[in-house]
Amino acid sequence: MAAVKDEEFNLDFLNADNLDQDETDAVSSRVIQLERDSEIASRYLIRKIFSPHLDPPYQHHTAVETSQRRKKVHSDWGTQVGKARHGVPHQDDLVALLTFEAAPNSGIVQLDEAFVTKVTEILSKGSGGTVKLEPTCRSGLQLLVKFSSPACYKALGQCFLDGKIEDISYFKLVEIQAISLITPPPCYIEIAVPTGDGVQLKETLTSLLVSHRSVFPFLCVREPEYNKFCNGDSPTNSPASKTRRIDDGGLVMPSVGIMLMYTKQAQRNSERCLNVVKSNPSEWQEVNIPQAISEEDEVYFKAANNEGPLFAVKKLSPCPGVRIVIFVNRDMDEVERFYSMITGKTSLAYNKIEEGLSYRKFPLSDKLELQLVSHPSVKSHPVKNSALCFMMNDVNKMCSEIPGGVRNIGEGHWQVKDPEGNILVLYSLLK
């Protein structure tokens, strides 16, 4: 798993009250990321085809492909272009990665400022002036470009397909790919909903973070294309899926949850969060957790109208942070080995043998931890529409080591299930 610095995320709201914060402004700001598969732009590339019947035997053909996922690029990638007018792009901008190939025997391995200026002029001229783009960062033979609109991106792609973009100096443009520019945590939860429901769920989740204004990267809402949810099934909002019970009347909980851990100094913020839950029973439903696995200052709840993960607030945490929880039904040792492999971390174990209670805690960073919990009184079910997403340094190597195989879901993203049946998405990050 890739390492991430905690200072890349603003979690001050978990450690200090901000009484001057305007709650309406906080809720209206983009705190939870919403991704729509329908907005993923096509990828344009040159395919190299070999055939002994061709003359020459190698020929290049332009092509266009539909991407299932956005390629992820770190927001600090590359070296900023000196003439970038508006600085580095943001998550909401349409940004693409242009990949070039140097001429044989040229010895060139790096784009320079002069080339960046020239390529901008040629691409704009080749499109008849219809494409407005701004280079922002470069690294090696790749250039990050911000487009003024999706139409401009599509226009450049069409020029590429039509062969209107000639070789530039000693370089050939070989790929145009829209990307997602992010600063991801080591792990986050992705919740998939049907097309059109993403905005509502995003607003519902954002309402919990009334004292937080910047991006909260530990949750993401996604609107996949029809029948392409995390585990291949569409989530259901039927009453049976919302409340599941076992024979003794106990509640069967979602197997995955996320806890906001507030310190005593941020008690006002934690109360604001819980007031949102209590004052909106049509959106939030409190969940009674057995005392064996919960503490007095912890409150658990879930969305009332959507299947999804469990949510929790800890009001008097000794340290601020975020905890991702997995409730284990069967073999704790097997699940522990699996997540040790995924995270590259050794867990901290805590057991109460006489009570059948087991904890395994993986410190992913100073402010993020993954916790496995097992107790006889707790039964859980995998959440159909949610996935645990882990950033990997070498996703291909990791995929080769996972027993049972993995499934490629596009652009450096791989899907796998843990021993409990929970969905994981492993992805690589260009940085």
Side-chain angles (χ1 to χ4, degrees):
M1 188 186 70
V4 177
K5 299 178 181 178
D6 279 318
E7 55 264 27
E8 293 179 325
F9 309 114
N10 178 8
L11 297 178
D12 291 344
F13 77 108
L14 297 174
N15 195 36
D17 285 332
N18 184 359
L19 302 182
D20 296 328
Q21 174 74 44
D22 185 285
E23 295 186 12
T24 302
D25 289 344
V27 172
S28 64
S29 62
R30 182 181 59 79
V31 177
I32 303 294
Q33 181 76 5
L34 171 61
E35 297 182 355
R36 294 185 174 97
D37 281 11
S38 60
E39 296 177 352
I40 300 178
S42 298
R43 173 189 176 206
Y44 303 91
L45 70 157
I46 289 180
R47 291 198 179 105
K48 192 174 184 180
I49 300 175
F50 170 79
S51 173
H53 304 293
L54 296 176
D55 185 24
Y58 287 100
Q59 293 192 1
H60 297 83
H61 296 273
T62 57
V64 58
E65 292 182 350
T66 300
S67 299
Q68 298 182 43
R69 290 266 180 166
R70 289 181 178 87
K71 183 181 182 67
K72 288 182 169 63
V73 177
H74 197 284
S75 56
D76 289 336
W77 176 86
T79 302
Q80 187 171 346
V81 174
K83 295 184 179 180
R85 295 186 298 276
H86 305 295
V88 296
H90 302 287
Q91 282 183 319
D92 292 331
D93 294 327
L94 198 163
V95 184
L97 195 65
L98 307 187
T99 301
F100 295 87
E101 186 178 87
N105 303 320
S106 67
I108 301 175
V109 296
Q110 180 79 34
L111 305 180
D112 58 22
E113 290 283 342
F115 174 80
V116 171
T117 301
K118 186 174 183 178
V119 74
T120 305
E121 296 173 353
I122 291 177
L123 293 181
S124 180
K125 183 178 179 180
S127 65
T130 60
V131 174
K132 296 181 180 180
L133 50 84
E134 178 186 349
T136 60
C137 301
R138 59 184 172 87
S139 178
L141 297 178
Q142 293 181 305
L143 179 65
L144 206 62
V145 174
K146 182 168 63 175
F147 287 82
S148 59
S149 69
C152 285
Y153 175 86
K154 189 174 182 179
L156 179 62
Q158 191 60 51
C159 291
F160 178 81
L161 293 176
D162 294 341
K164 295 180 180 179
I165 301 175
E166 303 294 336
D167 292 358
I168 306 170
S169 298
Y170 297 99
F171 300 94
K172 176 189 288 290
L173 179 61
V174 295
E175 185 178 28
I176 306 170
Q177 183 177 22
I179 57 94
S180 177
L181 201 65
I182 62 172
T183 305
C187 177
Y188 66 91
I189 297 177
E190 177 185 88
I191 307 173
V193 294
T195 301
D197 291 353
V199 171
Q200 181 179 354
L201 179 58
K202 171 188 170 181
E203 292 176 351
T204 299
L205 297 177
T206 299
S207 68
L208 296 175
L209 307 171
V210 292
S211 303
H212 184 55
R213 293 185 64 91
S214 62
V215 175
F216 185 75
F218 306 98
L219 286 172
C220 175
V221 178
R222 177 169 168 252
E223 288 186 1
E225 292 182 353
Y226 183 69
N227 282 340
K228 288 186 179 179
F229 288 86
C230 292
N231 65 347
D233 297 325
S234 297
T236 173
N237 292 329
S238 65
S241 71
K242 296 176 188 175
T243 305
R244 308 184 186 190
R245 295 185 178 276
I246 53 180
D247 293 340
D248 62 4
L251 186 67
V252 179
M253 303 181 304
S255 58
V256 174
I258 182 169
M259 176 182 286
L260 302 177
M261 299 188 294
Y262 294 85
T263 63
K264 184 178 180 180
Q265 291 75 20
Q267 190 168 0
R268 179 70 65 88
N269 288 346
S270 65
E271 292 298 336
R272 285 177 170 181
C273 177
L274 293 176
N275 284 339
V276 171
V277 176
K278 295 174 183 177
S279 61
N280 293 279
S282 62
E283 293 185 351
W284 296 105
Q285 172 187 345
E286 289 197 38
V287 178
N288 294 321
I289 299 296
Q291 293 182 355
I293 63 167
S294 64
E295 298 181 357
E296 292 183 359
D297 66 328
E298 297 175 357
V299 180
Y300 292 79
F301 49 94
K302 64 186 293 292
N305 301 313
N306 296 93
E307 184 165 6
L310 194 68
F311 296 87
V313 165
K314 186 174 180 62
K315 296 186 286 185
L316 299 173
S317 174
C319 300
V322 174
R323 174 185 294 164
I324 294 177
V325 183
I326 300 175
F327 296 99
V328 178
N329 288 321
R330 295 183 288 274
D331 190 338
M332 172 64 89
D333 291 338
E334 182 184 8
V335 178
E336 178 188 8
R337 287 193 297 270
F338 178 86
Y339 281 100
S340 291
M341 176 180 61
I342 294 295
T343 64
K345 306 285 186 180
T346 300
S347 68
L348 304 175
Y350 174 75
N351 298 309
K352 282 189 176 181
I353 299 176
E354 66 279 3
E355 298 179 11
L357 175 64
S358 294
Y359 283 106
R360 300 292 186 273
K361 185 182 296 184
F362 296 89
L364 304 184
S365 72
D366 289 344
K367 294 182 180 178
L368 176 66
E369 64 184 34
L370 175 68
Q371 186 179 81
L372 311 179
V373 183
S374 177
H375 190 271
S377 66
V378 177
K379 301 298 179 183
S380 63
H381 63 87
V383 185
K384 285 186 175 183
N385 66 331
S386 299
L388 290 166
C389 302
F390 289 88
M391 178 176 59
M392 297 287 153
N393 281 326
D394 189 343
V395 68
N396 292 323
K397 180 177 183 295
M398 176 61 66
C399 289
S400 67
E401 297 175 352
I402 295 177
V406 297
R407 182 163 66 93
N408 189 329
I409 55 176
E411 302 305 329
H413 292 72
W414 300 80
Q415 182 174 296
V416 65
K417 289 186 178 182
D418 72 6
E420 292 282 303
N422 299 304
I423 298 295
L424 275 70
V425 173
L426 312 179
Y427 66 91
S428 58
L429 182 70
L430 185 62
K431 55 183 178 177

